[in-house]
Amino acid sequence: MADENNNSTPGDGEALPEDLRRLLDRAQATDEGADVYDESESSDDADDDDDGELEEEFGNAGTGVDTGETDEHGGALQIKEFGHEMRQSFIEYSMSVITARALPDVRDGLKPVHRRILYAMNESGIFPNRPHKKSAWTVGEVIGKYHPHGDSAVYEAMVRLAQWFSMRTPLIDGHGNFGNIDGDGAAAMRYTESRLAKPAMELLRDLQKDTVDWQPNYDESLAEPQVLPARFPNLLVNGCGGIAVGMATNIPPHNLGEAVEATCMLIDNPEATTEDLMTVMPGPDFPTGAIIMGTDGIRDAYETGRGSITVRAKANVETTKTGRSRIVFTEMPYQVNKGTLQEKIAQLVNDKRIEGISDLRDESNQKGIRLVIELKKDVIPQVVLNNLYKYTQLQTTFGVINLALVDGVPKCLTLREMLQHYIDHQVDVVTRRTRFDLKKAQARAHILEGYLLALDNIDEVIHIIRSSRTDSEASQRLIERFGFSPEQTQAILEMRLRRLTGLSRDQIEEELAGLRRAIAYYEDLLANPVKILGVIKDEMREISRKFSDKRRTQISAQGTKELNVEDLIAEEDMVVTVTHAGYVKRTPLDTYRSQKRGGKGVQGVNLKDEDFVEDLFVASTHDYVLFFSNKGKVYRLKVHELPIGQRTARGTAMVNLVPFEDGERAAAVITCRTFPDDEYLMFATANGTVKKTAMSAYDRTRRDGIIAINLREGDELVNVRRVKEGEKVMLVSTDGKAIMFPESDVRPMGRDTSGVRGITLKDGAKMLGMEITNGNGDLFVITEKGYGKRTPVSDYPEHKRGGQGVFTITMTEKKGNLVACRIVGPQHELMIMSNEGVVIRVKSKDISRLGRSTQGVKVMNLGDDDTVSAIARMAVAKRKPEAGEGADDEDQGALTLAGEEEVDEDLLDE
């Protein structure tokens, strides 16, 4: 907001800013122009100047027209030194705007209009402990005594000082309608009332103790302060914005307590770096809160005086009773008009630039801001939020320009320079205040000393006074007799008789003793600059204790130039389902409940005929998902990129997410957050081949996938698992046999290789699955009819790779073929899904623990035509293994939800 001020102009000796000088050089070119001004070439454009005060301030001086002279033939008006006049007028106007209107003083952080408003209210006694006064009365005082400009400009400046969303620490306490963050203006000044806020009194404190220089007002009838004492660093605390001529300032607000501590740090350590100062004042603290993205822009602003800070609205995603999502914004970026913002969002929705929004409403009240955006069904909130940040002012950039007046000259300042100039100002204020107090104490002590001397000789003093004809004669005789000073004799002559009592003498002696102690303190303070700095720190910290509050703006360590969708997505566990027909979806884990062994489960997926679930696992939304196809290729996505679906939804065709070829399908899925060099992926093919490759070899992505394993003719990929050094590989075949061997039996190979034999298969058997174990836990197997069991891994002998293995279950026609296997511990739960999409979730410890050559027990009740299709493992609790149990390390492709609470079986999903 540009502010109006008086017409003061710089003296001849003042330095002209370089930016302004370049602008003025343009006017000098007119010095060699035409000397005659033709009325026919004039226009009315000069009357349409954007600044309505040109005519008010300069009248016709800026036109260069001498209306009182004509040439000897009487025709066109003559112009004398038009270029010089333009240059001089422009300099005067520009310097007036720069030094007396648009830029703040580095010492108190105020523009002249703001300083005059506070001073006028202080002089009028409109203090925080007194009733509010009509704003129109205050505006009249300011205009009539100190600021002879438009009342609307003064009132607008006054309104801003009272707005909580404009000032981090408001300086005026407003009563009435002072506008709002929606852009509604304040009520007329005749309706509102105001008074000084308590923090403003700290800017004005000690003003009458000769702490600052004074200057005459516009008509030299009164005096006004050139700067306020400003007992806290207001330039940083409340910031400032203004546009001058050829330059502008835009200083962000900061937290009062942090600014005070940064000042104290620089006092204690003048060599403190920007990094040091940022430990106590990490960045701006906007009154409207929000989030600052990254610290690079803050550091640039503090080190160079210029920087760009990205500010983002604070948002929360809520779920309605109907299952839909809504985005709720509770904090807005600084200086964003909420009303205009809503109009912009509505326009983007109508133009279909942002899709998925069904409703927009403002639920803000006195408790805070609440802007609610309702989303359509199945819309991903993070995508909408990303678009809102991209296309609206929910994310803005605050361009920092730390430009302020230093000794009347505009300078772009670093953080250390701003603090140091403020410290220098405070040293001057405290020094001048101390001198004032010392002088006052010395004068009072001098009078009291005269009182005591007069009381010691009271009879003679009374005799001299009574025998003198005039006051001057009495004064002269007292000076000659006792050596009093004129000030002392004047005080003695005015002394009341009650001061002659003994009690009054004791009071005088006590007061004198106190004054002498104060004088000694003041003299010691003036003689020790370090003690003055200590006083400054103590007084600032006292102000901080009174008026500072908690930081409102959060500073995110992660900066953002280009918005990343993942940064906006809450990390949560999802159940990912992949069907045989190639459909994939993700569903929040809490959709499913825990049941006892033998339960019937709940409907998990509505599938097409002859389709069934092949893969089921749990992963975080921030994890990578590696889809390994049966043809030996791998495709990479993030979990949050998978479509979210309801519990009964089939999902989205995988061909819409990854470019599978004809006949290609997902054979295995691995989830991971990183790709470490010391971890490997173990591959298993249908013909019994295994291969081990470092995970780092797959830390790349291509739209059409990359080769994961070279397959021999007639072979296909069956499974992929993560493996670490020292772990064991367990292979299970469809004929009910299993083999276990150390992972070291398989040497590491490159990505584009085929592998070695892992198990010897006979009679048309195929590889069923592969598990990784550390030697502990149980091997869980299940048949297609729902019969399963747990067998301790320790029951399986360790062989060299390539053998036929040993039996792991006794196969019968009633129980069907073996369909799946998993390594489990007592802390695990199993999620089992059938071909018809029925899901059951059981604790592994509820499943019988039997020997290798047993038939198993009923784990899941199935329909006559239904069979088990897939199982997944979850770790739901962390506990120490019981004696002899052990717990297997987590493998990928299994469900991993460590720390999840048990689900009450009575809480059934509908």
Side-chain angles (χ1 to χ4, degrees):
M1 178 173 62
D3 300 310
E4 302 173 346
N5 283 278
N6 62 16
N7 304 331
S8 60
T9 57
D12 295 336
E14 290 192 21
L16 195 64
E18 185 63 27
D19 292 344
L20 181 57
R21 185 173 296 281
R22 288 197 298 268
L23 292 174
L24 298 180
D25 287 341
R26 303 174 187 173
Q28 192 170 5
T30 61
D31 286 340
E32 299 177 359
D35 293 330
V36 178
Y37 178 81
D38 188 349
E39 278 188 342
S40 63
E41 297 177 358
S42 66
S43 76
D44 295 331
D45 291 343
D47 295 333
D48 297 331
D49 195 291
D50 290 338
D51 190 331
E53 296 177 4
L54 276 175
E55 182 177 352
E56 175 187 347
E57 295 192 15
F58 301 110
N60 292 327
T63 64
V65 180
D66 186 355
T67 58
E69 296 184 10
T70 59
D71 61 9
E72 58 184 1
H73 302 290
L77 298 176
Q78 298 292 327
I79 296 291
K80 294 183 178 180
E81 300 180 354
F82 179 77
H84 172 75
E85 184 66 26
M86 282 291 294
R87 178 180 174 86
Q88 187 62 31
S89 297
F90 188 67
I91 288 176
E92 292 176 356
Y93 170 71
S94 302
M95 292 305 295
S96 174
V97 172
I98 290 171
T99 63
R101 181 181 304 175
L103 299 184
D105 193 292
V106 71
R107 295 169 291 180
D108 62 4
L110 297 173
K111 300 177 185 179
V113 66
H114 299 135
R115 189 179 301 116
R116 288 165 176 163
I117 290 171
L118 298 180
Y119 176 66
M121 296 181 75
N122 183 68
E123 288 296 291
S124 301
I126 313 176
F127 300 138
N129 58 351
R130 296 184 182 178
H132 294 81
K133 199 149 192 172
K134 280 292 183 183
S135 299
W137 192 94
T138 301
V139 171
E141 283 286 296
V142 174
I143 293 175
K145 293 182 176 179
Y146 311 107
H147 199 74
H149 297 285
D151 58 349
S152 60
V154 176
Y155 182 55
E156 289 174 5
M158 181 179 174
V159 165
R160 187 178 183 277
L161 292 177
Q163 292 174 334
W164 69 268
F165 51 87
S166 296
M167 306 290 286
R168 185 60 181 83
T169 302
L171 302 178
I172 287 181
D173 177 14
H175 183 66
N177 177 15
F178 274 78
N180 56 38
I181 198 172
D182 290 332
D184 298 330
M189 57 183 158
R190 63 182 179 272
Y191 298 122
T192 64
E193 297 177 345
S194 58
R195 63 184 177 187
L196 288 171
K198 291 182 179 179
M201 300 305 297
E202 301 299 335
L203 297 180
L204 296 157
R205 195 173 76 185
D206 302 327
L207 184 61
Q208 303 301 331
K209 291 188 176 183
D210 192 32
T211 52
V212 296
D213 293 332
W214 296 71
Q215 65 187 13
N217 68 339
Y218 66 94
D219 62 357
E220 299 186 358
S221 61
L222 297 170
E224 61 176 322
Q226 293 182 0
V227 67
L228 297 185
R231 304 317 312 279
F232 64 85
N234 183 60
L235 182 63
L236 282 172
V237 171
N238 281 317
C240 189
I243 300 174
V245 179
M247 61 190 70
T249 184
N250 200 28
I251 303 172
H254 293 75
N255 183 273
L256 173 59
E258 294 176 355
V260 167
E261 288 305 315
T263 307
C264 293
M265 174 180 283
L266 192 61
I267 290 175
D268 293 333
N269 179 19
E271 303 301 324
T273 64
T274 300
E275 294 290 340
D276 296 333
L277 295 172
M278 288 182 67
T279 59
V280 295
M281 191 177 74
D285 187 21
F286 299 111
T288 54
I291 303 172
I292 295 176
M293 306 304 296
T295 58
D296 292 342
I298 299 174
R299 187 173 292 104
D300 290 342
Y302 286 171
E303 291 182 347
T304 67
R306 294 176 180 266
S308 180
I309 299 175
T310 301
V311 186
R312 178 180 291 177
K314 188 174 182 180
N316 299 308
V317 178
E318 300 178 355
T319 303
T320 65
K321 295 181 180 179
T322 60
R324 298 189 180 187
S325 298
R326 65 162 68 106
I327 302 174
V328 180
F329 295 96
T330 55
E331 296 177 6
M332 292 290 161
Y334 185 52
Q335 295 177 333
V336 169
N337 186 316
K338 184 156 62 71
T340 304
L341 173 65
Q342 295 177 68
E343 294 175 1
K344 178 65 174 178
I345 295 174
Q347 181 181 350
L348 291 171
V349 172
N350 291 335
D351 295 343
K352 299 189 181 301
R353 296 186 64 185
I354 296 181
E355 297 183 349
I357 296 177
S358 62
D359 188 24
L360 169 65
R361 63 180 180 274
D362 187 2
E363 298 180 356
S364 304
N365 53 33
Q366 293 180 348
K367 296 181 180 180
I369 294 173
R370 183 177 169 86
L371 183 62
V372 180
I373 296 179
E374 297 283 354
L375 303 182
K376 297 178 180 178
K377 186 177 181 180
D378 297 334
V379 171
I380 301 175
Q382 289 75 17
V383 175
V384 177
L385 186 61
N386 184 38
N387 288 328
L388 289 171
Y389 282 143
K390 184 175 182 180
Y391 295 115
T392 71
Q393 284 189 306
L394 288 168
Q395 176 171 306
T396 62
T397 299
F398 188 94
V400 179
I401 307 175
N402 293 331
L403 190 73
L405 295 176
V406 180
D407 296 329
V409 178
K411 290 185 178 180
C412 193
L413 305 168
T414 65
L415 175 61
R416 292 186 75 256
E417 290 173 338
M418 295 169 74
L419 292 174
Q420 190 58 56
H421 284 302
Y422 174 74
I423 293 171
D424 294 342
H425 174 55
Q426 290 305 297
V427 170
D428 183 55
V429 167
V430 174
T431 300
R432 294 176 65 164
R433 182 188 68 183
T434 304
R435 288 173 180 165
F436 179 88
D437 291 337
L438 174 61
K439 184 177 179 181
K440 185 176 180 180
Q442 288 174 335
R444 179 60 179 168
H446 183 61
I447 298 298
L448 294 180
E449 289 170 352
Y451 281 166
L452 291 177
L453 182 57
L455 290 176
D456 290 339
N457 302 275
I458 189 62
D459 293 336
E460 189 175 354
V461 168
I462 294 174
H463 175 71
I464 291 174
I465 295 174
R466 292 186 62 185
S467 60
S468 299
R469 294 175 59 86
T470 63
D471 290 347
S472 59
E473 180 184 346
S475 176
Q476 185 63 32
R477 291 174 63 185
L478 288 172
I479 292 173
E480 293 174 352
R481 172 65 182 86
F482 299 104
F484 290 130
S485 67
E487 293 80 11
Q488 288 175 324
T489 59
Q490 184 65 29
I492 292 170
L493 292 175
E494 295 176 353
M495 184 174 61
R496 297 181 180 181
L497 291 176
R498 64 181 180 184
R499 303 303 297 269
L500 302 179
T501 63
L503 181 60
S504 294
R505 180 183 179 89
D506 294 340
Q507 292 176 346
I508 292 173
E509 290 176 345
E510 183 179 351
E511 182 182 357
L512 180 59
L515 287 171
R516 286 172 176 168
R517 289 193 298 270
I519 290 170
Y521 168 75
Y522 294 144
E523 290 176 342
D524 180 61
L525 195 61
L526 292 172
N528 294 278
V530 175
K531 291 186 177 181
I532 290 180
L533 294 174
V535 170
I536 294 172
K537 291 193 299 180
D538 293 341
E539 293 183 354
M540 280 197 302
R541 282 176 170 151
E542 180 61 29
I543 294 172
S544 176
R545 281 191 291 270
K546 289 181 180 178
F547 304 115
S548 65
D549 55 8
K550 294 182 179 179
R551 165 174 280 276
R552 299 178 188 173
T553 300
Q554 176 185 345
I555 299 178
S556 172
Q558 182 178 6
T560 173
K561 291 283 187 179
E562 296 293 333
L563 284 172
N564 188 348
V565 175
E566 184 175 335
D567 297 336
L568 309 175
I569 295 177
E571 187 168 0
E572 58 179 324
D573 291 314
M574 292 284 178
V575 177
V576 180
T577 306
V578 182
T579 73
H580 178 74
Y583 289 88
V584 61
K585 70 169 182 176
R586 61 186 173 100
T587 307
L589 180 63
D590 55 11
T591 303
Y592 302 97
R593 66 181 179 89
S594 179
Q595 295 183 16
K596 295 290 186 180
R597 177 177 68 86
K600 296 187 65 176
V602 295
Q603 184 66 35
V605 184
N606 287 329
L607 298 173
K608 290 184 176 180
D609 294 340
E610 299 181 357
D611 191 12
F612 59 91
V613 174
E614 283 194 339
D615 283 286
L616 182 72
F617 59 90
V618 171
S620 167
T621 50
H622 288 194
D623 288 347
Y624 285 103
V625 182
L626 303 179
F627 292 97
F628 293 90
S629 74
N630 60 325
K631 292 188 176 182
K633 296 182 71 174
V634 59
Y635 305 85
R636 189 171 78 172
L637 293 174
K638 285 278 191 166
V639 171
H640 65 74
E641 294 179 304
L642 302 178
I644 192 167
Q646 299 296 323
R647 187 188 66 208
T648 57
R650 182 173 64 250
T652 300
M654 197 177 299
V655 293
N656 294 328
L657 304 175
V658 292
F660 282 156
E661 301 174 358
D662 291 340
E664 190 174 14
R665 58 178 176 81
V669 182
I670 294 291
T671 63
C672 63
R673 182 67 60 91
T674 59
F675 295 84
D677 293 329
D678 59 345
E679 293 190 25
Y680 296 86
L681 291 178
M682 187 71 73
F683 295 78
T685 71
N687 290 341
T689 300
V690 293
K691 186 190 81 160
K692 184 172 70 174
T693 304
M695 287 195 65
S696 56
Y698 301 92
D699 188 14
R700 64 196 68 183
T701 183
R702 283 177 54 185
R703 172 61 185 167
D704 55 350
I706 59 175
I707 295 175
I709 182 174
N710 267 335
L711 297 174
R712 297 181 176 91
E713 186 176 355
D715 199 3
E716 67 177 8
L717 187 63
V718 170
N719 209 346
V720 184
R721 287 284 188 269
R722 291 174 68 169
V723 64
K724 298 180 182 178
E725 183 178 355
E727 292 182 324
K728 296 176 174 54
V729 181
M730 182 168 281
L731 305 178
V732 180
S733 64
T734 55
D735 59 1
K737 289 188 176 181
I739 185 173
M740 184 171 67
F741 56 85
E743 58 83 22
S744 56
D745 282 4
V746 184
R747 62 180 177 84
M749 302 179 183
R751 182 170 54 83
D752 192 8
T753 56
S754 298
V756 295
R757 180 169 298 280
I759 186 172
T760 299
L761 303 172
K762 292 185 177 181
D763 300 329
K766 293 292 183 180
M767 177 89 75
L768 173 67
M770 173 182 64
E771 289 296 304
I772 306 299
T773 177
N774 59 7
N776 299 320
D778 303 325
L779 176 64
F780 169 75
V781 293
I782 189 169
T783 67
E784 58 185 358
K785 292 299 183 180
Y787 288 84
K789 67 169 184 172
R790 291 185 298 144
T791 302
V793 172
S794 57
D795 287 359
Y796 293 87
E798 187 173 321
H799 296 281
K800 292 290 184 181
R801 67 169 178 84
Q804 297 183 29
V806 296
F807 281 104
T808 184
I809 190 172
T810 301
M811 308 284 290
T812 66
E813 183 177 352
K814 174 183 177 182
K815 296 177 176 54
N817 294 326
L818 203 61
V819 295
C821 60
R822 284 288 186 275
I823 297 292
V824 298
Q827 76 276 23
H828 290 128
E829 286 188 357
L830 291 166
M831 188 174 286
I832 307 171
M833 180 169 280
S834 72
N835 284 339
E836 293 182 356
V838 178
V839 180
I840 184 174
R841 182 172 169 180
V842 298
K843 293 180 173 62
S844 63
K845 63 184 180 181
D846 291 341
I847 301 172
S848 299
R849 198 178 193 190
L850 305 172
R852 283 194 298 108
S853 56
T854 56
Q855 297 182 12
V857 296
K858 174 74 73 172
V859 176
M860 182 178 183
N861 287 322
L862 298 169
D864 294 339
D865 298 327
D866 199 7
T867 58
V868 173
S869 64
I871 64 173
R873 185 192 72 175
M874 298 176 294
V876 296
K878 291 184 178 180
R879 65 178 183 88
K880 295 182 179 179
E882 297 177 2
E885 287 181 345
D888 187 15
D889 290 346
E890 176 185 340
D891 67 338
Q892 291 299 319
L895 293 172
T896 55
L897 283 183
E900 183 195 18
E901 297 181 357
E902 291 189 7
V903 181
D904 189 341
E905 64 183 274
D906 294 329
L907 301 177
L908 302 179
D909 281 303
E910 295 297 332

